[in-house]
Amino acid sequence: MQNSYVASVFYEIAALLELQGVAFKPQAYRRAASAIEQLEIDIAAAVEAGTHRSIPGVGDAIAKKIEELVETGKLDYLDRLRSETPPGLLEVMAVPDMGPKSAMKLYRELGISSLDELKRAAESGKISRLKGFGERADERILRGIQTLESKGSRALLGEAVPIAKDYLEYMKNCVSPIQISICGSLRRGKETIGDVDLLVGSTATAAVTKAFTEYELVDEVVASGTTKTSVRLAGGFQVDLRVIDPNSFGAALQYFTGSKEHNVLIRKLGMEKGLKVNEYGVFERDNDAMLAGGDEEGVYEALGLPWIAPELREDSGEIDAARHGRLPRLVDTSEINGDFHVHTDWSDGSETIDDIVTASKARGYDYVAITDHTQSLTIANGLSPTRVRRQIKAVRQVEKAHEGSIRVFAGTEVDILADGSLDLPSDVLKELDIVIASVHSRLKMAPRELTTRVVTAIESGLVDILGHPTGRIIGRREASQMNLEKVLEAAEENGVAMEINSFPDRLDLRDAHCRLAKDRGVMMAIGTDSHSVRHLDYLGLGIITARRGWLEKGNVMNTLETAALEKLLRGRRS
Ligand code: DGT
Ligand code: CA
Ligand code: CA
Ligand code: ZN
């Protein structure tokens, strides 16, 4: 059972109670929901261990409901509430800024009980005319509906990557020889993906299209033409396929990788040079002679540019940099030597230290850091000072058993408490090889207070890495309102690295913030925040995020060789 599911049930209960005009109770459910959402361990595991009762905001009544949900997957109470409320009102209430009172009023006075009805009423300007809504209400509501719809339809990069890779492998096995690539936002590594785009260079269009639509996960063929076919997969992903003549494969790859904004600039640059650029190639405008098209490098070369990495193609200065020979040499997967953020079964991870070390070795790492939670995160079975000391010994033993084949850092993800102090005494922190410090609670405190809290931790002289710095959860929780500039300034002064947390729904710092950190001279540290062995694969998402942030080898701590890294870590907290 997923925490997000349990949280969503409690949010729904809160909303339903609000619609019924019940006081206080909705707040309690919302608090519990938010705490469950932020839990770093599986709620079912918490129930099993009995620790769900110590989640903030969970009293006896809510604890029982959690148990019922985890055990049966259902909740009687929710079903009852649902039957008492007009269906569709929740949808209406989900529109940003639409409270329960407004929703009820719209229901009573205009009979609105669905998003569609709300949209129609707003489009015809009816809502502004109601008493108490204000003259811009229609506009505001339409904008809210748009936000709601756009957010709902995008998937996480980390969800799309494996789906696209499987599809690609299948296509390669079906049709050979084949020129094939992922393009679109997925190739650029954007944190959320609208749809997956595949490009094939082949003259056997019909055979390729047939193979594409016969993939076993295809639920429905949405559109089928001679050059473009779209399918919807079980689970809802849309995948677009384009088939192009192999002579134009590079030009099409460039075109369909986008972004649209990047392509507009590319075409404009072509125009200035008397060239025409499209998905078939680069052509002389005067006589249509084809200058490039077979490969992507050739397309850029014809425009007088070096090849630009897909992650940079967002119209954020990349073309200018390319023209002046100032493109970054982006950090590459082959340069990454280890992972800085891994949990084990000592706190809320599911495997042993040895499992993690064995798996890290299999991935070719030179080092891995074991960084479990600390005591104040009781729900995550956080470690007390005594247990930290025991764990250090355990880490040394595992490392020894692997006979020098991998360096295992004894670390922690220490909680940053509300006043900025750390959740372990400094003598214990000094015994560790590496310290990540993270905020896990009270992210919504006043921005200035939060900034001071984080800066205090950075200035402690005990921290190597600030974990998931902004605390955002993609699509669910906005980045915290702390002053990032101030935090980066403190990090630079104190030689503290910012994490790129690679967990699919975090990617924190995000791409643009990584670039800012680089400009401020702050080092970045990629960590997967793994809670199981398979999460170690998320490292790739962190690397893509680093590349989208224009980071080079020198900006990323994971590129250091073991000896250099140890020197850096020792120097930082002595
Ligand atoms: P998404 O799917 O919303 O995450 O974003 P993209 O970038 O994958 O967009 P998508 O799937 O609509 O189209 C794939 C690429 O094809 C896009 O990045 C650029 C190119 N493209 C599509 N339509 C146009 C267009 O009208 N003009 C230009 N210049 N390029 C286009
Ligand atoms: Ca796309
Ligand atoms: Ca598309
Ligand atoms: Zn954390």
Side-chain angles (χ1 to χ4, degrees):
M1 167 126 348
Q2 289 204 326
N3 298 13
S4 56
Y5 173 70
V6 176
S8 74
V9 166
F10 288 155
Y11 279 127
E12 184 175 344
I13 290 175
L16 288 167
L17 289 171
E18 268 174 346
L19 278 171
Q20 299 190 348
V22 176
F24 305 120
K25 266 190 176 178
Q27 248 340 84
Y29 278 100
R30 206 160 266 134
R31 251 187 87 208
S34 155
I36 291 165
E37 207 166 42
Q38 295 182 38
L39 265 195
E40 298 213 358
I41 66 163
D42 190 54
I43 187 72
V47 168
E48 204 173 310
T51 50
H52 64 300
R53 286 177 180 269
S54 58
I55 299 172
V58 173
D60 197 46
I62 295 184
K64 287 212 177 91
K65 293 192 176 70
I66 295 177
E67 289 156 24
E68 185 181 335
L69 265 170
V70 166
E71 278 152 26
T72 69
K74 289 185 310 202
L75 190 62
D76 274 348
Y77 183 58
L78 175 66
D79 294 341
R80 206 173 68 231
L81 282 177
R82 275 182 180 165
S83 70
E84 294 166 1
T85 324
L89 273 195
L90 283 181
E91 234 178 54
V92 170
M93 234 175 91
V95 174
D97 291 332
M98 176 76 70
K101 285 205 186 102
S102 308
M104 262 334 255
K105 194 162 174 179
L106 290 174
Y107 173 65
R108 288 212 192 93
E109 301 193 13
L110 298 177
I112 293 172
S113 64
S114 74
L115 207 54
D116 269 352
E117 286 165 9
L118 179 68
K119 202 171 182 173
R120 260 180 276 133
E123 275 164 356
S124 57
K126 279 186 191 158
I127 298 172
S128 303
R129 275 180 251 135
L130 276 187
K131 225 178 114 198
F133 275 88
E135 57 181 308
R136 321 203 66 154
D138 291 300
E139 249 172 74
R140 207 183 58 234
I141 286 170
L142 284 174
R143 237 182 300 123
I145 293 174
Q146 217 174 24
T147 310
L148 196 67
E149 286 175 342
S150 68
K151 199 171 71 190
S153 57
R154 299 187 69 81
L156 295 175
L157 176 67
E159 296 167 342
V161 165
I163 288 166
K165 276 192 176 153
D166 287 350
Y167 216 143
L168 198 75
E169 277 315 301
Y170 158 82
M171 289 296 286
K172 279 182 185 165
N173 288 331
C174 282
V175 204
S176 66
I178 191 171
Q179 255 184 316
I180 185 165
S181 176
I182 289 167
C183 39
S185 53
L186 191 56
R187 183 165 181 242
R188 304 198 307 280
K190 232 180 136 184
E191 63 190 32
T192 63
I193 303 296
D195 65 12
V196 174
D197 301 281
L198 285 183
L199 177 71
V200 168
S202 169
T203 47
T205 311
V208 171
T209 306
K210 184 162 178 286
F212 180 71
T213 55
E214 283 174 357
Y215 184 44
E216 61 174 354
L217 294 181
V218 169
D219 227 22
E220 183 192 353
V221 179
V222 181
S224 191
T226 46
T227 60
K228 182 181 163 180
T229 306
S230 298
V231 297
R232 189 177 311 286
L233 301 183
F237 265 99
Q238 180 165 323
V239 185
D240 288 350
L241 168 79
R242 286 176 183 87
V243 187
I244 191 110
D245 188 285
N247 292 323
S248 292
F249 184 76
L253 182 58
Q254 196 287 322
Y255 183 89
F256 292 116
T257 294
S259 65
K260 232 176 248 181
E261 294 74 14
H262 174 87
N263 287 354
V264 166
L265 294 181
I266 286 290
R267 273 201 304 269
K268 201 169 133 227
L269 186 63
M271 230 123 76
E272 285 164 19
K273 293 183 181 291
L275 305 172
K276 202 171 70 193
V277 187
N278 56 33
E279 62 265 52
Y280 302 105
V282 182
F283 304 89
E284 299 266 16
R285 200 167 42 213
D286 301 338
N287 57 15
D288 271 347
M290 184 162 168
L291 302 180
D295 61 85
E296 206 179 41
E297 286 82 357
V299 171
Y300 283 98
E301 196 182 286
L303 295 165
L305 297 175
W307 181 77
I308 300 175
E311 293 93 333
L312 300 180
R313 301 181 195 171
E314 298 289 354
D315 181 19
S316 56
E318 72 278 9
I319 292 185
D320 228 34
R323 276 168 108 163
H324 296 99
R326 282 202 299 264
L327 280 177
R329 283 197 48 175
L330 295 183
V331 64
D332 187 77
T333 308
S334 63
E335 295 168 330
I336 299 293
N337 297 323
D339 188 339
F340 287 126
H341 191 158
V342 180
H343 297 273
T344 71
D345 59 1
W346 280 70
S347 67
D348 60 349
S350 48
E351 277 115 345
T352 65
I353 299 171
D354 188 65
D355 291 334
I356 295 296
V357 170
T358 304
S360 300
K361 239 165 67 174
R363 284 165 174 73
Y365 297 167
D366 296 337
Y367 46 79
V368 63
I370 303 298
T371 55
D372 277 308
H373 290 291
T374 54
Q375 52 196 359
S376 77
L377 268 187
T378 46
I379 193 67
N381 191 23
L383 276 63
S384 65
T386 314
R387 289 184 67 219
V388 169
R389 289 195 161 113
R390 284 221 313 273
Q391 195 190 31
I392 294 175
K393 286 198 188 111
V395 166
R396 303 285 181 243
Q397 264 167 17
V398 172
E399 181 176 45
K400 208 164 154 199
H402 286 266
E403 298 179 324
S405 54
I406 183 166
R407 179 79 176 89
V408 188
F409 292 117
T412 182
E413 181 183 13
V414 66
D415 229 46
I416 301 177
L417 302 177
D419 63 356
S421 63
L422 301 174
D423 193 27
L424 286 173
S426 56
D427 55 333
V428 177
L429 288 169
K430 282 180 184 165
E431 287 170 37
L432 291 158
D433 302 320
I434 188 164
V435 173
I436 303 174
S438 309
V439 170
H440 287 117
S441 57
R442 302 201 48 211
L443 274 84
K444 283 192 177 145
M445 61 172 35
R448 198 176 299 174
E449 242 185 290
L450 184 60
T451 307
T452 308
R453 175 181 177 193
V454 171
V455 168
T456 303
I458 288 173
E459 288 175 343
S460 67
L462 298 164
V463 172
D464 298 299
I465 298 168
L466 182 69
H468 43 73
T470 75
R472 66 112 172 224
I473 308 281
I474 298 173
R476 287 199 292 134
R477 187 165 77 206
E478 292 294 315
S480 79
Q481 294 295 303
M482 68 176 186
N483 185 332
L484 187 62
E485 285 280 0
K486 283 221 166 100
V487 169
L488 291 176
E489 197 182 299
E492 195 274 326
E493 274 169 18
N494 292 275
V496 169
M498 290 287 127
E499 181 175 65
I500 301 177
N501 189 294
S502 314
F503 216 77
D505 62 1
R506 285 199 186 262
L507 301 184
D508 180 12
L509 293 180
R510 61 171 303 171
D511 45 17
H513 289 158
C514 288
R515 196 167 168 189
L516 190 68
K518 174 189 179 183
D519 290 344
R520 298 292 178 273
V522 174
M523 179 88 97
M524 308 291 302
I526 305 175
T528 55
D529 206 348
S530 288
H531 286 71
S532 88
V533 162
R534 67 195 160 85
H535 293 164
L536 292 171
D537 292 335
Y538 294 153
L539 201 74
L541 302 175
I543 298 171
I544 291 177
T545 303
R547 290 169 60 88
R548 286 180 60 84
W550 292 51
L551 301 192
E552 305 184 82
K553 187 177 178 192
N555 308 120
V556 181
M557 210 162 98
N558 313 56
T559 65
L560 291 175
E561 309 275 334
T562 311
L565 178 61
E566 281 185 288
K567 198 168 154 218
L568 179 83
L569 293 174
R570 265 200 308 273
R572 210 176 254 163
R573 289 183 300 113
S574 51

